[in-house]
Every structure is written in structure tokens, then in C-alpha cells.
Amino acid sequence: QFCPTKAEARRSAAKIALMNSVFNEHPSRRITDDFIEKSVSEALASFNGNREEADNPNTGIGAFRFMLESNKGKSMLEFQELMTVFQLLHWNGSLKAMRERQCSRQEVLAHYSHRALDDDIRNQMALDWVNREQNIPGALSRELAATERELDEARLAGKELRFHKEKKDILLLAAGQLGSAHSSGC
């Protein structure tokens, strides 16, 4: 809704957040066997996959099933946070690096399925961007500009903003680390 002041917008956003959290914690919003079967079937239909793909943990749909099954009983809100972690790991190149180190999908999923999106993960990703910037000057500012455009587009389209917001926060954290390194003479 349109809010004439920032204070009203904050109150409105807080009410919506409260309603969403109550809704997402409702027992009907928990990951169950029925939910997993329905979700996997929809994924197979969307990607013209076959049933064998869903049972093979080395395929994308198989990994999706594995993630759902390993989160059985959790709320959709908890699962959404986990998916944001994996989106960030993919965006940051961490998943590719783990694959190059011969880590299996199951090992990666098992490790990160129990990690919340916290300051440690954000700091590690920011350090990756600091290193990237030092190797390819301008990479950070280009990625930040692209991320801000994506955030604006998602906001205007009414899409979920968490992934884009986290990307921006990580990039700003990296820029701050670079700025403090430059100002301290490093």
C-alpha cells in the first residue's frame, strides 16, 4: 500500500512481516512427505525431467529432493533461508570451487544445511570479493551496480528481495574492507 511517510511504511512493513512469520510457521507450511512429492513432481514437469532424475542425487532435481528431504519438518521460512544461502554460494562461486575440490553435492548440502546466513558467511563472501577486486580491479563496483539494478527490478516486480539484499550487503561489506585497507596504508 502507499504510505505517505517513512514511519507509516515501516509500520506497514512490520505488520506484513509479522503476518508472514505467523503464516510461515503454521503447521500447514511445514515440509512433509506429501509436499516433497508434489514439489518434485512439479519440478520434473517444469523441466521435462523423468522420474530417474528425481532419484539421482547428482542431478539438479535429485539435489532439490535431497534438500527437501533433509529439511523435512522445518518451516518454509527456514527452508527459504537455506535456499538463500545456496543462491549466495552459487553467485559467489563457492559451489564451483567446492566442486573443483571434488566435494560431492551431498557433502556440500550436509555442511551448509545446518548453517544459518550469519556474519561469518557474509564476511567470508566479502573476503572473496576483496580478493576478486584485487585481481580484477573494478569487478566489485560492476557487480554492485548490477546488484542494485537487480534489487530495484525485483522490488518493482514485487519479487522476493532477500537474495538481492544479501548480495548488496556482502558487496558493501567488501567495499568497506577495501576502503579500510586503503586508508590504513595497506
Side-chain angles (χ1 to χ4, degrees):
Q1 74 183 31
F2 176 78
C3 298
T5 67
K6 282 187 178 183
E8 285 182 47
R10 282 189 197 104
R11 280 192 294 277
S12 177
K15 287 177 191 175
I16 291 168
L18 176 62
M19 287 186 293
N20 282 339
S21 67
V22 169
F23 176 73
N24 282 316
E25 292 301 322
H26 191 272
S28 69
R29 299 284 294 165
R30 299 241 171 231
I31 298 173
T32 63
D33 288 327
D34 289 341
F35 176 82
I36 292 170
E37 287 309 314
K38 182 180 177 200
S39 298
V40 169
S41 294
E42 287 174 4
L44 286 169
S46 295
F47 295 103
N48 296 322
N50 59 43
R51 195 75 210 160
E52 293 159 3
E53 284 182 65
D55 297 329
N56 181 351
N58 294 319
T59 66
I61 293 175
F64 177 60
R65 174 187 280 275
F66 178 81
M67 288 184 76
L68 286 170
E69 287 177 350
S70 64
N71 286 279
K72 201 180 304 180
K74 290 187 178 177
S75 70
M76 292 306 295
L77 202 56
E78 292 168 308
F79 186 69
Q80 184 178 7
E81 179 165 349
L82 175 66
M83 294 306 293
T84 301
V85 169
F86 280 97
Q87 283 180 291
L88 289 167
L89 291 169
H90 175 72
W91 158 74
N92 198 49
S94 299
L95 291 179
K96 182 180 179 188
M98 288 180 235
R99 191 170 40 247
E100 290 169 356
R101 288 193 308 264
Q102 309 297 310
C103 295
S104 73
R105 246 184 209 166
Q106 289 75 17
E107 290 170 328
V108 173
L109 291 172
H111 177 75
Y112 282 101
S113 290
H114 305 290
R115 299 263 330 253
L117 186 49
D118 59 12
D119 288 340
D120 290 339
I121 290 178
R122 288 182 192 96
N123 285 326
Q124 185 57 52
M125 289 185 185
L127 284 174
D128 291 342
W129 278 98
V130 167
N131 290 333
R132 204 169 283 154
E133 177 66 22
Q134 290 170 341
N135 292 331
I136 307 167
L140 182 61
S141 60
R142 284 189 297 276
E143 187 66 22
L144 184 56
T147 297
E148 287 176 338
R149 278 191 308 276
E150 291 168 4
L151 181 60
D152 287 341
E153 289 167 6
R155 184 179 292 121
L156 291 172
K159 292 183 179 176
E160 173 63 39
L161 301 178
R162 177 86 189 266
F163 170 62
H164 304 291
K165 183 214 169 290
E166 291 292 346
K167 277 174 51 175
K168 182 177 177 181
D169 289 350
I170 289 164
L171 294 168
L172 290 173
L173 183 60
Q177 290 174 353
L178 277 169
S180 65
H182 288 294
S183 65
S184 65
C186 294

